[in-house]
């Protein structure tokens, strides 16, 4: 079981400006992947309603999931400097094991929060697959099946290093965005986009995008705070 606080680090092999540049490049690539996946949704499916949500999510996931995993795995390989085959194998195992489990978890959460299993179960399953691709699969691509690292990222909110932070901040933001997006669903406004899980899915994707943008400033702020603490201790 992990215990205590982990010190945030961006690695020790290259100078800090290069590390921060690598993190910025990774987030830019991930943002590009997400926008590409959104652009692959046919125009006929872009109206936010119950009839379009399932095929729209399928078009999005076909592009977003594998390309996001590829970007994370490439940068993990760059940072670890280990033989390529074992690194790829561990990360693919992490995605293959955690993505379906994450989908089941989010599906179960939707049922717990009151979504009808009989009437909207298929919608909830698609929502679960989306949320797992935004929240769980990227972390699986970074940490594999390393249980203590999963606990630090999600249970203790202590991502350590650029790899974990790059996946964790968008994951946190996507979760918050999805639950904020779900708030209008039970309101009696009569809008098509209120039907489950349209607004929640939109909120999750926009939250994820916001997290991609925020990850680099978060890393920079953490480093600045750590440097201040070091100078305080030195004085």
């Amino acid at each position: 079981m992990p215990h205590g606080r982990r010190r945030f680090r961006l690695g020790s092999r290259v100078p800090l400006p290069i590390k921060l540049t690598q993190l910025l490049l990774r987030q830019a690539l991930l943002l590009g992947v997400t926008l590409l996946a959104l652009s692959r949704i046919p125009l006929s499916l872009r109206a936010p309603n119950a009839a379009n949500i399932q095929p729209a999510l399928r078009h999005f996931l076909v592009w977003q999931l594998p390309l996001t995993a590829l970007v994370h795995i490439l940068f993990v390989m760059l940072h670890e400097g280990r033989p390529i085959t074992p690194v790829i194998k561990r990360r693919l195992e992490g995605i293959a094991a955690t993505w379906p489990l994450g989908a089941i978890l989010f599906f179960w959460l939707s049922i717990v929060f009151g979504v009808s299993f009989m009437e909207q179960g298929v919608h909830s399953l698609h929502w679960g697959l989306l949320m797992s691709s935004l929240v769980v699969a990227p972390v699986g691509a970074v940490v594999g099946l390393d249980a203590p690292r999963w606990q630090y990222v999600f249970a203790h909110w202590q991502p350590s290093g650029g790899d974990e932070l790059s996946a964790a901040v968008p994951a946190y933001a996507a979760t918050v965005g999805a639950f904020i997006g779900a708030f209008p669903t039970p309101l009696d406004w009569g809008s098509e986009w209120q039907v489950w899980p349209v607004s929640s899915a939109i909120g999750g994707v926009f939250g994820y995008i916001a997290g991609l943008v925020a990850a680099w400033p978060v890393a920079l702020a953490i480093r600045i705070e750590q440097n201040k603490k070091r100078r305080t201790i030195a004085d």
Side-chain angles (χ1 to χ4, degrees):
M1 293 290 292
H3 56 85
R5 290 193 61 83
R6 292 197 299 175
R7 181 174 175 271
F8 179 79
R9 63 191 189 283
L10 287 172
S12 57
R13 296 176 181 173
V14 293
L16 179 61
I18 297 180
K19 300 169 193 172
L20 290 172
T21 301
Q22 289 175 349
L23 179 59
L24 181 62
L25 175 61
R26 180 196 295 213
Q27 299 312 106
L29 288 173
L30 291 171
L31 179 59
V33 163
T34 305
L35 296 178
L36 172 64
L38 288 172
S39 73
R40 302 310 298 173
I41 299 174
L43 290 174
S44 60
L45 298 176
R46 294 186 185 181
N49 56 51
N52 290 343
I53 188 64
Q54 291 184 36
L57 289 180
R58 288 195 294 268
H59 278 88
F60 177 77
L61 291 175
V62 163
W63 291 85
Q64 190 271 342
L65 179 62
L67 292 179
T68 296
L70 176 63
V71 171
H72 280 298
I73 291 173
L74 287 175
F75 275 88
V76 169
M77 288 164 42
L78 175 66
H79 293 160
E80 291 196 0
R82 299 177 184 176
I84 294 176
T85 302
V87 172
I88 295 177
K89 181 174 181 292
R90 284 196 300 272
R91 269 55 192 191
L92 290 178
E93 288 174 347
I95 298 169
T98 59
W99 182 57
L101 290 176
I104 293 171
L105 173 62
F106 280 107
F107 173 82
W108 175 79
L109 284 174
S110 71
I111 302 303
V112 169
F113 280 99
V115 177
S116 171
F117 174 80
M118 298 300 295
E119 297 178 5
Q120 296 175 309
V122 178
H123 280 336
S124 293
L125 178 59
H126 279 77
W127 178 77
L129 291 170
L130 170 70
M131 293 305 299
S132 189
S133 74
L134 300 178
V135 175
V136 179
V139 179
V142 169
V143 307
L145 295 174
D146 189 333
R149 291 179 70 184
W150 276 91
Q151 288 180 275
Y152 272 119
V153 171
F154 284 116
H156 300 278
W157 295 73
Q158 291 181 30
S160 174
D163 290 332
E164 292 182 15
L165 189 83
S166 175
V169 173
Y172 303 155
T175 304
V176 173
F179 281 92
I180 291 176
F183 288 157
T185 300
L187 302 178
D188 189 18
W189 293 346
S191 299
E192 289 187 337
W193 59 268
Q194 288 180 263
V195 177
W196 173 259
V198 176
S199 61
S200 181
I202 294 172
V205 172
F206 277 96
Y208 176 78
I209 291 173
L212 290 176
V213 174
W216 191 87
V218 168
L220 183 61
I222 292 173
R223 290 294 301 185
I224 291 173
E225 183 64 24
Q226 287 179 343
N227 289 337
K228 286 181 179 178
K229 289 181 179 179
R230 285 199 206 97
R231 286 195 293 268
T232 300
I233 294 173
D235 293 340

